[in-house]
Amino acid sequence: MFPIQRPRRLRSHPQLRRMVSETVLNTSDLIYPLFAVPGEGMATEVRSMPGVYQLSIDKIVEEAKEVYDLGIPAIILFGIPADKDTDATGAWHDHGIVQLAATAVKEAVPDLIVIVDTCLCEYTSHGHCGYLEVGDLTGRVLNDPTLELLKKTAVSQAKAGADIIAPSGMMDGFVKAIREGLDEGGFQDIPILSYAAKYASAYYGPFRDAAESSPQFGDRRTYQMDPGNRREALKEIELDIAEGADMLMVKPALSYMDIIWQVKQASNLPVAAYNVSGEYAMIKAAALNGWIDEQRVVLETLTSFKRAGADLILTYHAKDAARWLASGS
């Protein structure tokens, strides 16, 4: 007790503070999301996400090189196809936008890990993550038929050179279906990063601008989780582990750090946290208005995800964070 115990002793010098730091954020913790679009020389800034762009494949390759040079180990690719239909053809076609982007990046930067988002909402004309009943206007996705689409999509992405498959549609049994598809296709060594606990969150708004994936009607609450549910997240991760997931993701991150912590405690698998578009947009908006110190807030936020238990952090701040960490400031 005071005066014998004085915790401030270990805070007295910057070097000492670093020596006893319990949680250290590293560039190797980061994954950078990229949005691929058709065309050439295209770089269109997302209105609600300053500093984030829809990029043609040549520009994606340029970004991938920069990301690798910054020491960031991985990107995750999302695609916006030229055409959309009810069969999500652009998701699983061998010449789909994500497939082409994955191949181009692996040819240009072979040591960069390419994760691919394995979902259908960007590719369906109605904006939902799978097949719907004819005439359905509620957004209730048909689970089992959608699994076949996801299996086809994952296999085509693996053929294109993807290093990690990341299914995000929250269909029941999607990890099992994708694992079977990959194994049958000869891709036994491709890991699955499952969006195991993905909530029906209001924080996704800007992403839907970036990925052009807003539902045309209804919402995604019949397949994404209720924000109030904690035990359900643990049930979902147990199922995904049993089905063959190699890594687990919690999405969003900022309002779900209790879930990140509990998933970490309940599993011996690597845990990823997705620092989603709305979280990014709030920080950028406040920074652009001069209300916060962007660098300090970003690094504090990312560190908090790691403190909560995240091994990997998907974030649109990744490039800036890597530069700040390298500068030691």
Side-chain angles (χ1 to χ4, degrees), residues 27-38:
T27 301
S28 58
D29 301 324
L30 307 175
I31 298 168
Y32 190 52
L34 289 169
F35 298 92
V37 294

Side-chain angles (χ1 to χ4, degrees), residues 60-262:
I60 289 275
V61 169
E62 291 177 11
E63 281 287 289
K65 291 177 179 176
E66 181 181 1
V67 165
Y68 182 73
D69 289 343
L70 287 168
I72 299 167
I75 59 171
I76 182 167
L77 289 173
F78 299 88
I80 301 97
D83 299 298
K84 305 187 181 196
D85 56 39
T86 56
D87 291 323
T89 305
W92 49 264
H93 196 281
D94 287 344
H95 296 289
I97 186 67
V98 160
Q99 286 79 354
L100 294 174
T103 300
V105 169
K106 291 305 293 183
E107 288 176 352
V109 198
D111 289 334
L112 183 69
I113 296 296
V114 174
I115 307 168
V116 287
D117 180 73
T118 306
C119 194
L120 307 172
C121 59
E122 297 109 299
Y123 307 94
T124 54
S125 50
H126 46 67
H128 284 284
C129 299
Y131 283 125
L132 303 180
E133 286 275 13
V134 176
D136 179 271
L137 292 178
T138 67
R140 186 177 179 84
V141 172
L142 298 173
N143 193 92
D144 295 6
T146 296
L147 297 181
E148 293 304 312
L149 280 183
L150 291 171
K151 183 187 293 189
K152 279 202 302 185
T153 299
V155 171
S156 72
Q157 291 171 336
K159 286 179 181 176
D163 296 296
I164 298 173
I165 300 298
S168 61
M170 289 297 287
M171 295 296 112
D172 292 340
F174 67 164
V175 172
K176 180 175 184 288
I178 288 171
R179 185 73 270 162
E180 288 176 350
L182 291 172
D183 290 355
E184 291 165 3
F187 299 105
Q188 296 90 342
D189 294 331
I190 298 290
I192 296 173
L193 167 58
S194 173
Y195 288 65
K198 181 178 180 181
Y199 286 84
S201 173
Y203 283 99
Y204 301 150
F207 175 89
R208 290 169 184 167
D209 292 338
E212 300 180 13
S213 61
S214 296
Q216 299 302 302
F217 46 81
D219 56 43
R220 295 179 178 148
R221 296 182 186 181
T222 66
Y223 42 105
Q224 294 176 1
M225 290 172 50
D226 187 317
N229 290 3
R230 175 184 58 81
R231 294 191 304 271
E232 185 183 6
L234 300 180
K235 178 179 180 179
E236 286 281 4
I237 71 153
E238 289 173 3
L239 292 171
D240 285 5
I241 291 169
E243 292 176 13
D246 300 283
M247 296 176 278
L248 305 167
M249 192 188 299
V250 177
K251 181 181 180 183
L254 190 61
S255 292
Y256 296 85
M257 282 195 276
D258 59 323
I259 306 300
I260 297 169
W261 171 255
Q262 291 193 296

Side-chain angles (χ1 to χ4, degrees), residues 254 275 278-288 292 294 297-298 301 317:
L254 190 61
N275 179 209
E279 298 165 5
Y280 172 86
M282 289 191 301
I283 289 177
K284 293 298 288 188
L288 288 169
I292 60 171
E294 181 177 2
V297 168
V298 167
T301 301
H317 297 292

Side-chain angles (χ1 to χ4, degrees), residues 303-324:
T303 300
S304 72
F305 300 148
K306 191 169 181 183
R307 189 186 66 241
D311 302 290
L312 308 168
I313 302 168
L314 293 82
T315 178
Y316 305 96
H317 297 292
K319 291 198 303 180
D320 286 336
R323 294 187 186 101
W324 295 328

